[in-house]
Amino acid sequence: KAGVTQTPRYLIKTRGQQVTLSCSPISGHRSVSWYQQTPGQGLQFLFEYFSETQRNKGNFPGRFSGRQFSNSRSEMNVSTLELGDSALYLCASRFGTAMNTEAFFGQGTRLTVV
Amino acid sequence: GENVEQHPSTLSVQEGDSAVIKCTYSDSASNYFPWYKQELGKGPQLIIDIRSNVGEKKDQRIAVTLNKTAKHFSLHITETQPEDSAVYFCADSGTYKYIFGTGTRLKVLA
């Protein structure tokens, strides 16, 4: 069974640009959550999608957005990139929405903003 | 607010020794506590988890204990091996998002 797949693995962008990251969850999983990982802030929750609907959102500015498609694949977009957006972006998939079930992470997308 | 404290931040052990990482959470309603291992350049890998209806769970060399009264849970790795070297994160399932600890960098010295 394939794991969570994130593409691309690495990205280098310039300040002011926008970027789109993709996440394909484990087959059969319908919940996708996104996290930002930085050395200073650790793992921070961005948002969660289930059945194409955003269920919850973390404390990030509106430049961070996402969506989920009918096949459960999810994308997140960051507009007007800032240097501080440089981070590892991780997505996690879960079968349903219950928080007491296992969540599996992808390898992440390493975004560098220059 | 919701918070998970994790200690120590770094831990060095000799190969074959045991390692213990401790976490404290704040939300009394929490009922699920996973542990993740993250190797360099990779995403977090779920290694073990525990639900609030049990006090201990074991999987080969790895065990997790939970003390709901004290709001503590701990990861125990026995007979450590060089491949156990990684960063370990505890998490509290929270209401709608995982609250992660700050991570423990474990180094197993050969």
Side-chain angles (χ1 to χ4, degrees):
Chain A
K1 196 173 191 181
V4 179
T5 303
Q6 291 188 244
T7 56
R9 289 292 312 277
Y10 303 93
L11 268 178
I12 299 176
K13 290 287 188 179
T14 305
R15 275 180 300 174
Q17 288 185 314
Q18 73 166 11
V19 66
T20 299
L21 313 181
S22 178
C23 172
S24 293
I26 292 170
S27 178
H29 285 195
R30 297 168 61 194
S31 170
V32 174
S33 298
W34 289 87
Y35 288 82
Q36 181 195 65
Q37 185 177 28
T38 60
Q41 298 298 316
L43 284 144
Q44 300 286 315
F45 173 76
L46 281 157
F47 26 66
E48 180 199 5
Y49 287 87
F50 180 81
S51 291
E52 303 178 63
T53 300
Q54 185 182 92
R55 296 186 67 242
N56 295 292
K57 191 176 191 306
N59 189 26
F60 279 82
R63 300 185 296 106
F64 291 81
S65 63
R67 59 178 175 169
Q68 187 180 35
F69 302 94
S70 58
N71 62 357
S72 296
R73 190 177 70 85
S74 177
E75 290 180 347
M76 67 163 282
N77 184 276
V78 187
S79 63
T80 319
L81 284 166
E82 300 177 359
L83 295 178
D85 297 333
S86 296
L88 181 66
Y89 290 88
L90 294 159
C91 80
S93 85
R94 183 183 286 111
F95 176 74
T97 59
M99 290 304 299
N100 63 349
T101 55
E102 297 89 343
F104 300 93
F105 283 86
Q107 299 275 53
T109 293
R110 171 75 60 185
L111 172 64
T112 302
V113 182
V114 296
Chain B
E2 299 164 321
N3 182 49
V4 175
E5 294 186 3
Q6 183 172 346
H7 299 282
S9 56
T10 60
L11 178 59
S12 294
V13 299
Q14 291 292 327
E15 182 178 357
D17 286 351
S18 296
V20 180
I21 303 170
K22 299 181 179 181
C23 289
T24 304
Y25 62 97
S26 60
D27 187 354
S28 300
S30 297
N31 60 10
Y32 176 68
F33 307 92
W35 284 90
Y36 287 87
K37 173 185 180 183
Q38 188 173 25
E39 296 174 293
L40 194 62
K42 297 186 177 181
Q45 174 193 2
L46 179 66
I47 56 172
I48 196 167
D49 55 17
I50 190 166
R51 291 177 175 79
S52 58
N53 57 344
V54 298
E56 183 174 2
K57 182 177 178 181
K58 190 172 181 179
D59 182 4
Q60 298 183 334
R61 298 185 297 108
I62 296 174
V64 56
T65 58
L66 172 65
N67 181 330
K68 283 215 74 178
T69 303
K71 299 181 187 175
H72 289 168
F73 58 111
S74 300
L75 177 71
H76 304 252
I77 306 174
T78 59
E79 300 172 23
T80 53
Q81 301 168 3
E83 53 264 38
D84 293 329
S85 295
V87 179
Y88 292 81
F89 293 95
C90 62
D92 166 6
S93 60
T95 307
Y96 62 87
K97 62 181 179 182
Y98 279 0
I99 310 296
F100 285 91
T102 48
T104 296
R105 183 173 300 279
L106 174 64
K107 297 179 184 177
V108 180
L109 307 171

